[in-house]
Amino acid sequence: MASKKTKKKATRVKKDVYFFGGGKADGSAGMKNLLGGKGANLAEMAGHPNLRIPVPPGFTITTEVCTYFYKNRGKYPAGLKEKVNAALKKVEAIMSKKFGDPEDPLLVSVRSGARQSMPGMMETVLNIGLTQKTIKGLIRQSGSERFAYDAYRRLITMYSDVVMEKAAGIEPAEGKGIRRQLEKLLEKKKEQKGVKLDTELDGKDLKELCDQYKKKIKQVLKKGFPDDAYKQLWGGIGAVFASWNGKRAIAYRRIENIPAEWGTAVNVQTMVFGNLGDNSATGVAFTRDPGNGDNKFYGEYLINAQGEDVVAGIRTPAPINKNSQSEHNENLVMLSQAMPKMYKQLFGIQKRLEKHYRDMQDIEFTIEDGKLFLLQTRTGKRNGPAAVKMAVDMVREGMINKKEAIKRVKPEQLDELLHPIVDPKGEKANRPLGKGLPAGPGGAKGMIVFDADTAVEWAKKGKKVILVREDTNPEDVEGMRAAQAILTARGGMTSHAALVARGWGKCCVVGCGDLDIDYGKRKVKAHGVALKEGDWLTLNGTKGLVYKGSLPMMDATKENVVLNKFLKICDSVRRMKIRTNADTPEDARRARDFGAEGIGLFRMEHMFYGEGAEKPLFKLRKMILSETPEERRAALKELYPYVKKDIKGTLEAMEGLPVTVRLLDPPLHEFVPHQEGQLRDLAKSLKIHMSELKKRVSLLKESNPMMGHRGVRLGVTYPGITEMSVRAILEAAAELVKAKKKVFPEIMIPVVGIDNELRDQEVVVRRILKEVLKKYKLKSLPVLVGTMIEIPRAALTADRISEVAEFFSFGTNDLTQMGFGFSRDDTGTFLPTYLEKKILPNDPFQTIDQDGIGQLIRCGIERGRKVRPKLKVGICGEHGGDPKSIAFCYKVGMDYVSCSPFRVPIARLAAAQAAIRE
Ligand code: PEP
Ligand code: MG
């Protein structure tokens, strides 16, 4: 009785193993969290009535088992063995084969599968179930000794590497790993036989090689390769779970923000062979072109090969159809020609899959002796341009609605469409050094590095690098991330480098066969040109071209028809306005092209920094260093025409849209020159002695300039500055109105913390307005007077401030500075540590700190609108271009966000997504 009870308690109620195959499945696509992406989709393909696609039968061990495994120091939940055995029985029944059967053995693969795809970051073992006994059965069944020993060789290689070395925590020295050592034996064998290709070795050679492999393993790892099917199976399962915490997986998770708690599922699936002869093949395909989004079935395949051969980039894969042809593979036979029946079936399946999932699918298939199997389907990774194109096309095709389309593109992905390209003029003038496949769009340039560690190291020092490799593997991810672009000599559009770069939207050229890389000498040669580490390269990732040196880049974003269509779709659901921060007519025009609906911040002081600013800057300096009211008045008078001209140009460029002009903000000493010559000119112009000028300069010095004499405080102490600025704004507007132009200036007073500061300035503004109306014989001007909310006290006393202010614009740069007490210019010394130690989740100067600064914003809006219900509210700090912050701004009821011109399209999308989420 007692023992029964114990047994009952030990058996897990949870269903740890999910079967799929034979037109049935325990799971479905909705169960990604439990079955991982791969397992859930295998279940869907096998079991969904609309699909019933031929997949090799198998089963998935859940991610919960992985979590259990880690919580219980590598132990499995009770009853797992029985569950696995039961599922294996079902597979055996469908396949009419038995696992471990010496007559006709069932072989399986063991693969990982997390919720979110982590390409190549975890482990796989193929051909499990091959032993001294079963191999005889396989030879008989397949009729090929060569095939059987090739499968055995692959199993021994993978198993010793993944299970016996990596999962066992053995970290061999560089080049001393067991896989490498076995590969050396293979090379030696080929040498002895005088052949080049693996395929030129016969059954006898491979058999001998398998024996050598096993001896080597025993010698190096001090353990024998297991000659038992079930031992192999459990070894494989354990190794896949262990690989969740492998170095590569951890690095990838950190980059992609994947929580460690998710765990991976394990898929055990019947092996099907693409290498059973010329009637067999294997390939990878996308239901649409992942490089540009075109609605064209696209893929690569290899006859008589296993799946890993396609991705490994050792043999050049052939195109499946015409769409997939490129300069590199155009003389290879297409699948549609080689196996027309199979191609037709595959084409039908991919159509059904895309329709079912209503999204582009990335599929893996194998043809075993004239029989097609799908091994995997998943939502395909795509770069920004392809994501936008597909979203727009799928709306037109009626596959998805507008809201779905908007959700399909990540705001950051738009960055890729807004990124620079290599200037075509520069390209014309330079002959490419080489040509490869265009795996990641846009242009990039940087210094050559030959390994991932150097890429990371140099990037840390602020250098721009291009990672140049024969090919990449998952160990290189951190270096790939750090590089501006990736260039490989081998591999196709589905190679590791291409997949990873595409996912990140990084510029990438793969398969550039012109390169001859010498890692040892840290050199690369192409068509007789030799380059060394540190030399510059420029890549055109859209065309796959490689140039020597540093070519000029340009903005590729104008007149992008598809992007504009997509942004129009966004605009149809978006409710929050998008303005821009711009200080020149050119910036204003560019932002308008990007869809800006006004200027949210024109920083008046910026007109004294840029190109051609010497003259106005000199006048400004004179004004700053004036001592008497007369001196200052005279200097302001001289300054006035420059200010008016700049503002007028910008108001004109933004005709019909509001323009918020902010009065002078920064501490005055920022403008004071330090060079003797310039000081002397100023002294001369002010008709004072150098020593007097130096005295005045030193008086402007402040201990805490960010909290010193700046913003509204300048206007309060020197009302003449406000008078001049306001007159410039209003007269510019009046002249434009007289010229029948529609302009909407908004005068913004910065750094206000006390309502009385604003009242003081408002009197000045209203007085000047009256004077200007009189001068231009106008009844009114459509002008608003408002303030920035960037001092915590202003947010807290917003009700009093909104008695005067007609609009609020949150200056979240200063609000974050003052709210945290973090100097915005000095966070470099401590913020990285804060982020590392997770004291803060994000840099609060990039993403609004909703818990703290967010409260000040909510409070400011609430109190402001209590007094003035229609108070216009926006944001003009850097956060206005950050997607997460934009969602917050929408939630708290802002009317608009304002960001730099290049962020405007991103903000349009982020605001649309925020509206949909609501
Ligand atoms: C701000 O403080 O958020 C702001 C926009 O003003 P500035 O960055 O010019 O201080
Ligand atoms: Mg500010």
Side-chain angles (χ1 to χ4, degrees):
M1 200 61 194
S3 75
K4 236 183 185 177
K5 228 177 179 176
T6 331
K7 200 174 177 194
K8 212 171 182 183
K9 210 174 166 190
T11 312
R12 241 161 90 99
V13 208
K14 282 203 166 139
K15 185 174 169 64
D16 293 320
V17 176
Y18 284 68
F19 170 79
F20 57 83
K24 291 202 188 98
D26 296 340
S28 66
M31 299 167 78
K32 285 206 173 75
N33 293 359
L34 189 64
L35 303 181
K38 189 184 213 108
N41 283 328
L42 279 168
E44 186 84 357
M45 282 200 285
H48 194 283
N50 291 348
L51 295 174
R52 300 253 157 86
I53 283 169
V55 303
F59 54 88
T60 305
I61 306 173
T62 66
T63 54
E64 283 178 355
V65 174
C66 183
T67 323
Y68 183 100
F69 178 85
Y70 277 108
K71 272 202 189 128
N72 294 278
R73 288 198 224 129
K75 273 215 187 93
Y76 297 119
L80 185 69
K81 216 162 211 142
E82 291 74 17
K83 291 174 190 173
V84 164
N85 286 341
L88 199 54
K89 281 255 153 7
K90 280 193 187 179
V91 177
E92 290 175 338
I94 292 176
M95 296 305 294
S96 311
K97 285 175 192 234
K98 281 210 158 55
F99 190 61
D101 180 7
E103 293 305 316
D104 185 8
L106 173 78
L107 302 186
V108 297
S109 64
V110 177
R111 294 171 199 262
S112 60
R115 278 192 212 188
Q116 193 178 313
S117 143
M118 296 167 61
M121 299 300 144
M122 286 182 289
E123 304 298 353
T124 293
V125 187
L126 304 177
N127 306 337
I128 283 185
L130 267 182
T131 62
Q132 303 271 42
K133 272 192 207 153
T134 61
I135 196 159
K136 297 200 178 90
L138 187 66
I139 295 169
R140 229 173 297 131
Q141 294 296 331
S142 66
S144 166
E145 187 180 31
R146 190 197 178 279
F147 161 75
Y149 278 104
D150 189 43
Y152 197 33
R153 168 186 75 88
R154 289 173 195 254
L155 166 67
I156 300 171
T157 309
M158 278 190 241
Y159 195 91
S160 58
D161 171 36
V162 170
V163 184
M164 301 176 75
E165 189 174 87
K166 286 208 180 89
I170 299 169
E171 288 192 23
E174 180 75 21
K176 291 273 184 258
I178 187 70
R179 185 182 276 266
R180 184 70 206 116
Q181 299 210 39
L182 300 186
E183 275 167 3
K184 274 192 191 152
L185 292 175
L186 174 68
E187 282 156 21
K188 204 165 139 201
K189 187 101 210 154
K190 284 194 279 187
E191 222 172 84
Q192 282 168 355
K193 288 272 296 189
V195 298
K196 273 202 160 159
L197 300 174
D198 299 5
T199 44
E200 291 171 295
L201 295 175
D202 61 21
K204 193 170 145 272
D205 300 326
L206 291 166
K207 186 171 182 227
E208 282 168 16
L209 205 54
C210 287
D211 287 338
Q212 291 177 1
Y213 275 18
K214 286 194 268 185
K215 272 199 201 110
K216 186 60 130 190
I217 290 169
K218 187 96 199 234
Q219 178 201 338
V220 175
L221 298 172
K222 315 276 179 260
K223 254 190 192 172
F225 171 74
D227 194 32
D228 176 282
Y230 282 90
K231 257 200 192 134
Q232 291 173 3
L233 176 64
W234 285 99
I237 292 171
V240 170
F241 281 141
S243 69
W244 175 253
N245 266 357
K247 260 192 199 161
R248 284 179 280 153
I250 290 173
Y252 189 83
R253 284 208 294 273
R254 197 173 48 234
I255 293 169
E256 295 284 317
N257 272 326
I258 297 173
E261 304 79 66
W262 280 4
T264 180
V266 175
N267 297 293
V268 178
Q269 193 176 16
T270 304
M271 279 301 302
V272 285
F273 294 97
N275 56 342
L276 262 182
D278 287 347
N279 202 19
S280 301
T282 187
V284 181
F286 299 90
T287 59
R288 297 186 189 218
D289 189 327
N292 59 23
D294 281 351
N295 187 2
K296 288 177 179 165
F297 185 37
Y298 178 95
E300 294 169 336
Y301 84 109
L302 281 172
I303 284 194
N304 197 8
Q306 282 207 338
E308 50 172 352
D309 302 337
V310 182
V311 189
I314 296 160
R315 275 161 72 186
T316 304
I320 55 165
N321 55 15
K322 259 200 153 1
N323 303 329
S324 320
Q325 279 186 328
S326 73
E327 249 173 59
H328 292 256
N329 62 21
E330 64 191 353
N331 39 21
L332 299 170
V333 184
M334 299 182 279
L335 182 68
S336 55
Q337 291 172 318
M339 302 180 183
K341 250 185 159 166
M342 291 289 99
Y343 177 74
K344 207 170 149 206
Q345 194 192 346
L346 179 67
F347 189 84
I349 286 176
Q350 64 91 19
K351 271 263 168 280
R352 259 156 68 209
L353 280 172
E354 187 180 276
K355 198 168 154 214
H356 181 72
Y357 283 98
R358 296 184 306 117
D359 203 349
M360 188 265 272
Q361 296 296 296
D362 165 351
I363 60 180
E364 280 176 27
F365 63 91
T366 286
I367 296 165
E368 183 183 84
D369 201 18
K371 213 168 154 210
L372 175 67
F373 292 94
L374 269 275
L375 300 186
Q376 165 152 323
T377 189
R378 59 183 169 194
T379 297
K381 284 196 192 258
R382 61 206 71 184
N383 59 35
V388 171
K389 174 85 165 65
M390 286 185 216
V392 170
D393 284 352
M394 286 181 186
V395 170
R396 202 191 48 236
E397 293 159 20
M399 189 181 275
I400 56 174
N401 63 24
K402 287 184 177 178
K403 286 187 179 166
E404 189 59 41
I406 292 167
K407 285 195 273 183
R408 289 275 169 93
V409 183
K410 290 186 204 138
E412 301 77 22
Q413 280 188 309
L414 289 191
D415 232 5
E416 294 164 43
L417 283 88
L418 307 167
H419 265 327
I421 58 167
V422 187
D423 186 340
K425 272 191 229 138
E427 285 199 84
K428 241 184 178 170
N430 284 275
R431 248 170 61 111
L433 196 62
K435 187 170 188 327
L437 295 172
K445 56 182 173 183
M447 287 180 240
I448 297 172
V449 291
F450 290 110
D451 63 78
D453 289 346
T454 313
V456 171
E457 202 182 296
W458 288 23
K460 261 194 196 144
K461 287 184 196 149
K463 289 185 184 168
K464 287 190 170 176
V465 300
I466 290 188
L467 182 61
V468 180
R469 304 275 309 162
E470 280 288 333
D471 51 19
T472 66
N473 64 48
E475 258 118 44
D476 297 326
V477 278
E478 299 223 52
M480 294 166 78
R481 183 73 171 190
Q484 302 292 312
I486 300 142
L487 170 63
T488 71
R490 291 209 302 249
M493 289 292 272
T494 46
S495 65
H496 177 263
L499 283 180
V500 173
R502 193 175 300 134
W504 289 338
K506 189 165 281 217
C507 174
C508 176
V509 175
V510 298
C512 181
D514 309 297
L515 305 182
D516 180 4
I517 304 172
D518 187 336
Y519 287 135
K521 292 195 179 134
R522 319 296 283 173
K523 269 188 181 153
V524 57
K525 251 198 199 161
H527 297 297
V529 180
L531 296 167
K532 54 184 191 311
E533 196 153 51
D535 286 348
W536 281 76
L537 272 190
T538 302
L539 303 192
N540 175 340
T542 316
K543 288 192 183 150
L545 299 174
V546 183
Y547 296 93
K548 181 185 156 186
S550 161
L551 265 53
M553 311 292 274
M554 68 173 276
D555 161 21
T557 54
K558 296 234 171 81
E559 297 181 28
N560 185 329
V561 179
V562 182
L563 174 62
N564 286 336
K565 270 193 195 153
F566 177 71
L567 291 171
K568 288 240 163 69
I569 293 177
C570 294
D571 292 346
S572 71
V573 305
R574 168 168 68 85
R575 290 199 282 279
M576 197 162 57
K577 295 265 185 209
I578 310 297
R579 295 198 193 182
T580 189
N581 293 358
D583 321 301
T584 64
E586 299 80 67
D587 274 358
R589 272 190 288 272
R590 171 181 289 146
R592 223 181 157 152
D593 286 343
F594 282 143
E597 296 161 300
I599 288 183
L601 177 61
F602 175 103
R603 289 177 167 106
M604 194 177 270
E605 62 273 13
H606 280 195
M607 74 175 72
F608 303 107
Y609 294 140
E611 223 180 298
E614 299 79 20
K615 275 191 190 161
L617 181 60
F618 186 79
K619 311 281 178 202
L620 180 78
R621 286 169 171 169
K622 247 176 101 171
M623 184 277 286
I624 290 168
L625 294 164
S626 302
E627 200 175 52
T628 65
E630 293 73 35
E631 266 177 11
R632 180 158 293 112
R633 215 173 296 126
L636 282 168
K637 208 168 163 189
E638 285 179 43
L639 191 55
Y640 169 81
Y642 293 99
V643 178
K644 184 173 125 191
K645 180 168 165 271
D646 251 46
I647 291 172
K648 195 170 169 185
T650 303
L651 281 173
E652 207 170 2
M654 275 283 162
E655 201 204 334
L657 298 173
V659 174
T660 307
V661 184
R662 182 178 76 182
L663 304 191
L664 225 48
D665 180 345
L668 292 183
H669 87 97
E670 270 190 20
F671 296 102
V672 173
H674 302 289
Q675 286 153 331
E676 279 290 310
Q678 290 185 348
L679 285 170
R680 213 174 294 285
D681 289 346
L682 269 174
K684 210 164 134 197
S685 182
L686 280 165
K687 300 191 180 77
I688 56 175
H689 200 268
M690 255 310 247
S691 58
E692 169 63 16
L693 187 86
K694 284 192 175 164
K695 194 185 89 201
R696 290 185 190 182
V697 168
S698 72
L699 281 176
L700 285 170
K701 280 241 168 65
E702 292 177 312
S703 304
N704 286 311
M706 271 294 182
M707 295 196 277
H709 198 179
R710 62 175 285 215
V712 68
R713 298 156 209 169
L714 289 172
V716 171
T717 47
Y718 304 131
I721 298 180
T722 308
E723 279 173 26
M724 183 279 294
S725 312
V726 172
R727 197 181 304 281
I729 299 166
L730 295 179
E731 293 206 351
E735 285 172 15
L736 290 166
V737 167
K738 281 276 179 195
K740 301 264 178 293
K741 305 229 174 189
K742 285 199 165 67
V743 292
F744 303 97
E746 300 176 345
I747 295 172
M748 180 152 83
I749 319 284
V751 201
V752 165
I754 313 159
D755 57 313
N756 281 337
E757 290 173 315
L758 189 61
R759 289 178 207 282
D760 176 90
Q761 293 293 286
E762 201 222 2
V763 173
V764 181
V765 177
R766 299 282 171 206
R767 173 162 56 78
I768 304 292
L769 176 61
K770 248 191 207 155
E771 289 174 20
V772 173
L773 290 177
K774 198 167 159 205
K775 176 172 169 190
Y776 288 86
K777 299 197 176 56
L778 287 169
K779 278 208 182 76
S780 67
L781 268 175
V783 58
L784 296 180
V785 183
T787 185
M788 291 189 71
I789 302 292
E790 52 183 341
I791 301 270
R793 191 182 190 279
L796 296 172
T797 59
D799 44 354
R800 286 198 224 158
I801 292 176
S802 69
E803 284 172 11
V804 197
E806 292 172 299
F807 66 86
F808 281 177
S809 177
F810 281 88
T812 43
N813 303 335
D814 273 312
L815 197 59
T816 302
Q817 168 167 263
M818 315 275 181
F820 272 93
F822 287 172
S823 160
R824 54 195 266 195
D825 298 319
D826 302 300
T827 52
T829 44
F830 58 90
L831 201 55
T833 313
Y834 271 47
L835 298 177
E836 215 166 275
K837 288 191 162 183
K838 298 207 173 353
I839 288 173
L840 281 172
N842 299 300
D843 177 348
F845 288 99
Q846 272 176 31
T847 300
I848 287 176
D849 156 53
Q850 296 192 17
D851 294 344
I853 306 304
Q855 280 197 55
L856 288 170
I857 296 172
R858 279 181 199 274
C859 160
I861 298 176
E862 234 172 73
R863 293 188 185 171
R865 288 206 173 128
K866 210 187 262 167
V867 173
R868 196 186 286 265
K870 293 232 163 97
L871 181 76
K872 188 157 31 162
V873 178
I875 178 174
C876 63
E878 287 312 302
H879 306 83
D882 168 64
K884 270 198 213 130
S885 308
I886 292 170
F888 174 77
C889 293
Y890 180 77
K891 212 161 60 189
V892 297
M894 288 198 192
D895 298 294
Y896 70 86
V897 298
S898 187
C899 54
S900 67
F902 274 99
R903 303 294 296 178
V904 168
I906 294 163
R908 282 164 80 186
L909 170 56
Q913 289 182 338
I916 290 172
R917 241 175 262 132
E918 194 194 34

